[in-house]
Amino acid sequence: MYSAYIYYAIVYANDLHTNCDLPSHSRRHSIELPNMPLNAGENKKSSEFHLPAFLSASLIFQIIQIGIYPILLSQIMSKNAYEGFLIGALLSVSWLSVFTVGPFVPRIIGHFGHPAVLLLSCAGTAAGFLILLVSSHLAALVVSAVLVGGGLILRWVSCDTVLVGVSTPETTGKLIGYHEALMGLGIALGPLLFIFLDLQNVIWACLILVVCGQLGFIVTSIPPLDDHQGTPTSGKMMTVGALILVALAAAFVSGFIESSSIALFPLHFENFGHPLATSAVLVSSFGFGGTLLQPPLGTLADRIGYSNSQLLCLIGVSVGCVVIVLFPENYILMLIILFVVGGAAGGLNTLAVIEAGKTLNQSSMATAMTAIAMLYTLGGVSGPVLTGSAMDLLNNSGMVWLFVMISLLLAVLLVTGSLHRLGKRSR
């Protein structure tokens, strides 16, 4: 099934690549400067951008950095008799790197450009895995986690920024939705490597994949984008945050719901009589929804707008969660509802990226993508803690009602923002 999905992914990406004019200047600049044509040299550069290679490379790094590394690190620590607390603490180090390295990513992109940043991500990731080959000492494992986490945020921000930069108004949502679907697929594919290889060989396989991924980025021929204007200041960060406030809130809610659901839905459904095996299948349905529904959501955003699509996702999460509370014993219904809720929750992050892409110019894009990545991560880190507490304080459905509450709060923010923009236009 996965191989077929990848096949259609590459075919679809190639269709986008062949049929879309991917400009070296984003359409935001063409709107601001409508009478400034691209010269022949710039058009030639844009035609060299190879979208399937770029998406394939990003998928490979997603498999390595998120799909494989956390499992690998926890297994290595467990085999070396580290305590559970230390294992959990060290697994969070990679995500903490997102917060520590993240604020500097726009500046790094502005100074060195995307090809150099992706090479730096590759080098950091490779170094993190090489360390695992030579030492299992705690200090070495911390350095490894920091390097892989730093490589993750560099690749995350750069890839989203490039995809927005080369897209057209008609393809932004479709392209971002497709990329987000591949990122979900990467998380699903990563663990499969442990079925066939022992831990030592997993590390070697990842190092080979790192090289393959970097070759994919090299083949891509990323066109120059106007990121050199994007060096962030505190004022600029605040301005960008104000312009995409709903997108940042949506990214937080998406990370909050996704990480909480994956961590705690098994416990939730076990309390309603579902054994662990069937509960795991329900969580897989949630994950597949978060993967497979992103391309259609992106296409929908191109047609009806990102705000309407965000509202649709929030309705999907809220109504779906009410159904989960009312009919938790109905297994078939739960499979369907969790697929929809997973797609809607993941869609909030996809639409956050689309909103930034359609709202801001290219010079602010790296700053915006960094902010979205950090808010998604913040939601992912805080979600299981708060939802677990809700399950303790209220009842088994406390987590689900918390999802409804934060979705409704985001809906209020979304509607308020839309009404404010309509009021401005009518003046």
Side-chain angles (χ1 to χ4, degrees), residues 8-39:
Y8 286 113
I10 300 303
V11 169
Y12 183 76
N14 193 55
D15 180 64
L16 280 175
H17 172 63
T18 355
N19 295 316
C20 296
D21 180 23
L22 300 177
S24 60
H25 287 277
S26 75
R27 77 278 184 203
R28 297 149 206 89
H29 287 280
S30 64
I31 291 172
E32 293 170 11
L33 302 169
N35 299 318
M36 187 174 73
L38 298 176
N39 61 44

Side-chain angles (χ1 to χ4, degrees), residues 201-343:
N201 285 322
V202 165
I203 298 174
W204 283 112
C206 287
L207 290 170
I208 294 170
L209 287 172
V210 165
V211 174
C212 293
Q214 183 56 36
L215 287 175
F217 284 133
I218 292 172
V219 169
T220 294
S221 299
I222 299 171
L225 302 171
D226 292 336
D227 301 302
H228 61 281
Q229 302 174 19
T231 304
T233 61
S234 57
K236 181 170 184 176
M237 290 286 283
M238 293 296 291
T239 302
V240 169
L243 288 171
I244 56 167
L245 180 62
V246 174
L248 295 179
F252 174 85
V253 171
S254 178
F256 188 99
I257 294 176
E258 286 193 321
S259 66
S260 301
S261 298
I262 292 169
L264 296 174
F265 261 141
L267 291 176
H268 173 87
F269 286 109
E270 281 183 280
N271 289 333
F272 285 103
H274 296 287
L276 178 58
T278 55
S279 297
V281 174
L282 289 173
V283 175
S284 292
S285 179
F286 178 94
F288 276 113
T291 299
L292 298 176
L293 293 183
Q294 301 320 299
L297 275 173
T299 302
L300 189 67
D302 286 333
R303 293 181 179 177
I304 68 172
Y306 57 81
S307 293
N308 291 330
S309 301
Q310 285 168 333
L311 189 58
L312 189 63
C313 285
L314 292 170
I315 292 172
V317 171
S318 300
V319 173
C321 285
V322 172
V323 174
I324 290 171
V325 171
L326 295 177
F327 307 103
E329 295 90 357
N330 190 324
Y331 187 68
I332 300 299
L333 180 61
M334 289 301 98
L335 280 172
I336 297 169
I337 291 298
L338 283 168
F339 183 85
V340 173
V341 171

Side-chain angles (χ1 to χ4, degrees), residues 398-418:
M399 172 179 71
V400 185
W401 286 121
L402 186 56
F403 291 167
V404 173
M405 186 184 74
I406 62 173
S407 296
L408 292 177
L409 288 174
L410 180 56
V412 170
L413 180 62
L414 174 62
V415 171
T416 303
S418 298

Side-chain angles (χ1 to χ4, degrees), residues 387-405:
T387 50
S389 301
M391 291 174 74
D392 287 337
L393 292 174
L394 301 175
N395 54 46
N396 190 53
S397 297
M399 172 179 71
V400 185
W401 286 121
L402 186 56
F403 291 167
V404 173
M405 186 184 74

